[in-house]
Amino acid sequence: MKKLLDIDKVNFFYQTKNEEICALHDLTFSVDELEFASIVGPSGCGKTTILSLIAGLLPVSSGSIVLGGEKVGKNNHEKIGYMFQRDHLFEWRTIWKNITLGIELQKPADKEEKFEFARQLLKKYDLYEFQNRKPRELSGGMRQRVALIRTLVLQPMLLLLDEPFSALDFQTRVAVCDDVHHIIKSEKKTAILVTHDISEALSMSDKLVILSSRPATVKHIEILKLNGETPLLRREDPRFGALFDFVWKKLTNENEKN
């Protein structure tokens, strides 16, 4: 499989009023094309910071991040689709107007093709009949599907998911995980999920990156081969419980060497 993202010995420092803080130390891992990777780590270790660095929203202090063969920088945004903790849908705009907002703002040369692609995505994922509705008329799960389709319309190279299910109740969350995983795999996209939920990370991912506490470094990388076509079915794999315990111990044993 061809490597899409390469993070090599990345360090990141930020300045407070009194001192310089090292948030990330020698961070190194890669993500292949079409791979779904998840990042887990202790609270406050810098998981969201990593996504910001990949997206070019923050500059690395040292080291390198290469996406699609090019070094990441400020002009990186067109290659990245970003899903946040909240769906950030505009309540005064219809579903169609929300989904096509990026096309309006970027005004790409192939905008008509992208409008047609948006229509096809709505039809494919059972949202076409809701295109003239407002976000408040949709369930939480449907809103997340809309948010994901909005990121896909511009056909990004990489999707970054920053705890996109955290605002949902457990039952909805499990169902939406299946929906989002299905859409990402169907559209042949590479994705990185940041989450504090070990079960979520294990059930959705091909690769799991486990971080240490701050300054975060890679503690362990686990390649996942659980049985099941969906995250829900993968939770039923007999190995799931043992994997959960393994990851939990990695996260909680800070004295363990990498």
Side-chain angles (χ1 to χ4, degrees), residues 179-219:
D179 281 347
V180 169
H181 183 270
H182 170 66
I183 293 170
I184 288 172
K185 289 298 184 179
S186 294
E187 298 305 317
K188 295 181 169 54
K189 290 298 177 182
T190 308
I192 299 176
L193 169 71
V194 156
T195 180
H196 65 275
D197 188 319
I198 298 173
S199 294
E200 189 172 275
L202 289 173
S203 66
M204 295 190 76
S205 309
D206 306 307
K207 175 186 287 180
L208 183 64
V209 179
I210 304 173
L211 303 180
S212 68
S213 57
R214 195 175 68 186
T217 191
V218 175
K219 200 169 190 180

Side-chain angles (χ1 to χ4, degrees), residues 131-182:
Q131 64 178 311
N132 294 319
R133 302 278 187 90
K134 297 292 177 62
R136 62 178 173 273
E137 299 177 69
L138 272 57
S139 67
M142 292 173 73
R143 289 175 67 111
Q144 285 292 17
R145 260 188 285 159
V146 170
L148 178 56
I149 290 173
R150 180 179 58 189
T151 68
L152 291 172
V153 163
L154 294 173
Q155 298 173 297
M157 187 179 290
L158 175 67
L159 293 173
L160 303 178
L161 315 177
D162 188 2
E163 298 199 44
F165 317 118
S166 60
L168 303 173
D169 64 80
F170 179 75
Q171 187 173 355
T172 303
R173 186 171 182 151
V174 171
V176 174
C177 282
D178 272 18
D179 281 347
V180 169
H181 183 270
H182 170 66

Side-chain angles (χ1 to χ4, degrees), residues 60-71:
V60 300
S61 300
S62 63
S64 67
I65 301 178
V66 176
L67 176 62
E70 296 182 5
K71 199 167 184 178

